[in-house]
Amino acid sequence: MTKTLIIFYSRTGNTKELAELIQDKVGGDIIRLKTQEPRPTNYQEEVAQNQFEQKMDVLPEIMTKIDDFDKYQNIFIGTPTWNMALPQVMLSFLKEYDFSGKVILPFNTNGGYGVGNVLNQIEANINAARMTTEFSIKGGAENKGILFTIEGTYRNHVSTKLDEWLKQNYK
């Protein structure tokens, strides 16, 4: 039996909601990445900290540990796009584990600007793993005060699109 892991990082809840939708559809274990040091709750402070971390290549220490990582074959990696890139905590996670021989299924939420360099960054850090096409949707636009959006009829639309993606990518 192939073991599935859904790992994600989420600030406003959109990536979390998407991760939970995936788990509802495929099962598997779900884990939310958390940093050792608390992140700023103020949006502008978070943006400034993340931009600094990206510029200085700072990798925040992650509190989340996956002791039995080797047992997983299919790994869904969920992340928002921040400053057209991965949040640095996701890079911390990618650099900590060996993905050789695994299937990586990336999923992304963004504020409407797309995935940016997220997929290239994931692919560059997963060893010899095979990566499928991504699932990417518009989540909130925190810079405009729009936080959680994956609810109601939009959630239904996302769920339908997710079914199509899973049919093509998840075996």
Side-chain angles (χ1 to χ4, degrees):
M1 182 174 171
T2 302
K3 290 292 283 176
T4 298
L5 173 65
I6 304 157
I7 187 134
F8 70 94
Y9 184 71
S10 186
R11 176 173 162 82
T12 60
N14 290 291
T15 307
K16 176 182 182 282
E17 184 68 20
L18 191 50
E20 290 171 351
L21 273 171
I22 291 169
Q23 187 185 37
D24 287 347
K25 294 171 184 298
V26 304
D29 298 331
I30 188 168
I31 298 173
R32 182 178 191 155
L33 275 182
K34 294 181 182 173
T35 56
Q36 270 307 64
E37 297 294 321
R39 301 298 296 184
T41 55
N42 175 279
Y43 173 70
Q44 293 301 331
E45 290 173 16
E46 176 64 72
V47 168
Q49 181 170 331
N50 185 67
Q51 287 174 340
F52 171 80
E53 290 171 349
Q54 287 175 333
K55 182 179 179 183
M56 303 307 289
D57 199 25
V58 173
L59 296 176
E61 189 175 342
I62 52 176
M63 179 180 359
T64 310
K65 302 295 179 206
I66 307 167
D67 296 328
D68 50 358
F69 188 76
D70 290 341
K71 77 178 183 182
Y72 296 106
Q73 178 60 34
N74 294 312
I75 302 176
F76 288 85
I77 296 177
T79 182
T81 299
W82 284 4
N83 194 31
M84 299 310 289
L86 283 172
Q88 289 297 98
V89 66
M90 288 304 297
L91 281 175
S92 296
F93 165 72
L94 292 172
K95 291 179 182 298
E96 188 168 322
Y97 293 92
D98 181 3
F99 295 88
S100 299
K102 299 185 183 303
V103 177
I104 306 303
L105 300 103
F107 63 99
N108 169 265
T109 58
N110 60 76
Y113 299 104
V115 297
N117 291 317
V118 164
L119 300 173
N120 293 334
Q121 288 178 289
I122 292 173
E123 195 164 37
N125 287 283
I126 57 170
N127 316 86
R130 180 176 72 82
M131 190 165 94
T132 68
T133 61
E134 85 282 356
F135 183 79
S136 183
I137 59 158
K138 185 176 187 297
E142 196 170 2
N143 61 337
K144 297 176 184 167
I146 303 167
L147 303 183
F148 186 70
T149 61
I150 304 175
E151 57 189 341
T153 57
Y154 184 57
R155 185 181 189 279
N156 296 339
H157 168 75
V158 168
S159 181
T160 300
K161 292 292 186 189
L162 186 58
D163 287 338
E164 295 168 12
W165 178 72
L166 288 169
K167 187 175 179 181
Q168 295 291 320
N169 292 283
Y170 182 72
K171 308 295 183 226

